[in-house]
Amino acid sequence: GRTDGLFVPQMPILLTAAGENAKITVLANIVILAGGGIMSEKAEPVHSTKEKILRQAREEFLNKGYRDLSLRGLCGKLGLTTGSFYRYFPSKEALFDELVRPCARRLNQYVGPVEGGPPWPAHMLKIEIQRLMTNTLINTIYDDYELYRLLFTRAQGSAYEGFEERLAARYGGLWLELWRELSAGGRVSRRLPESAVCCLAGNVIRLLLMIFEREMDRREALEYGECLLEYCYSGFRGLTGIDLSMI
């Protein structure tokens, strides 16, 4: 029917009073959106739909990986058309990015200075500081384990493919700067090729991320991180004669 020229969908409406009060009650039971349209009572806010997409996508990406996830299949599970999906995300890449970008940004901060910022001072590579940072890093990963697993094990085909290697290269670059500083000061007892320094240091990151391949729980990962640091620092001391705790 119509109420003062406004089309009212045919639905059960409880009228509790007559006259003007009835009109107010009728209007209070109808959801009217700006733009001249009327939405049913089942319509959801935009942020709610976006969160549902992200939750379902997280599950689908974990099961299938980025490359094999079908947007059509994802939309089918969500009860959305692909056109509706594109209202929230312009592409599958943008959807994946929304999930893993905060994790990637956080990890970049742990393995080196902010890109474009001042370099870390050498004392940042002391084993005591690196032990604290490694424990913090592992706990950060396990606080949101599934998203980090997405980033490191399900990113093939996305812009995040190879992210582990980029992290390793950054960490290797930090150690190379330290190596150059120590060499210039005559503190190195054995010369090593710079490429070897980068590769060996980068392996710390690669080895640390074995926590995903081995499916370690948090306790195992923390113990492994401690062993890994001792192993790597002992090797550095054996190769160069430098005790990094004394930097």
Side-chain angles (χ1 to χ4, degrees), residues 208-219:
L208 179 62
L209 294 175
M210 289 288 290
I211 59 177
F212 294 105
E213 183 176 327
R214 305 302 301 176
E215 298 183 346
M216 299 181 192
D217 61 29
R218 188 190 297 255
R219 180 188 58 78

Side-chain angles (χ1 to χ4, degrees), residues 65-68 92-93 96 153-162:
Y66 176 85
R67 182 178 283 128
D68 293 333
K92 180 169 77 169
E93 182 74 53
F96 191 76
T153 71
R154 299 293 187 269
Q156 290 80 5
S158 78
Y160 290 91
E161 184 174 359

Side-chain angles (χ1 to χ4, degrees), residues 179 188-192 200 234-242:
W179 175 259
V188 177
S189 62
R190 176 182 175 184
R191 308 296 296 181
L192 291 174
L200 290 170
S234 296
F236 188 82
R237 185 169 57 247
L239 283 171
T240 65
I242 296 174

Side-chain angles (χ1 to χ4, degrees), residues 150-210:
L150 270 186
L151 177 60
F152 287 112
T153 71
R154 299 293 187 269
Q156 290 80 5
S158 78
Y160 290 91
E161 184 174 359
F163 180 72
E164 173 184 332
E165 288 305 310
R166 294 193 287 277
L167 274 184
R170 286 190 65 204
Y171 194 68
L174 285 175
W175 279 85
L176 180 57
E177 290 302 314
L178 171 64
W179 175 259
R180 288 171 175 166
E181 181 183 324
L182 296 173
S183 297
R187 300 174 62 184
V188 177
S189 62
R190 176 182 175 184
R191 308 296 296 181
L192 291 174
E194 289 192 347
S195 58
V197 175
C198 282
C199 289
L200 290 170
N203 272 337
V204 175
I205 298 298
R206 297 183 188 96
L207 289 170
L208 179 62
L209 294 175
M210 289 288 290

Side-chain angles (χ1 to χ4, degrees), residues 28-42:
N29 281 275
I30 303 173
V31 179
I32 304 174
L33 296 182
I38 297 179
M39 181 182 282
S40 76
E41 292 174 300
K42 293 183 179 179

Side-chain angles (χ1 to χ4, degrees), residues 129-174:
I129 295 177
Q130 288 295 305
R131 180 180 292 117
L132 175 62
M133 292 179 66
T134 300
N135 287 344
T136 304
L137 173 59
I138 290 172
N139 279 314
T140 296
I141 288 173
Y142 278 83
D143 284 344
D144 218 339
Y145 182 80
E146 287 190 346
L147 287 180
Y148 283 97
R149 190 156 69 91
L150 270 186
L151 177 60
F152 287 112
T153 71
R154 299 293 187 269
Q156 290 80 5
S158 78
Y160 290 91
E161 184 174 359
F163 180 72
E164 173 184 332
E165 288 305 310
R166 294 193 287 277
L167 274 184
R170 286 190 65 204
Y171 194 68
L174 285 175

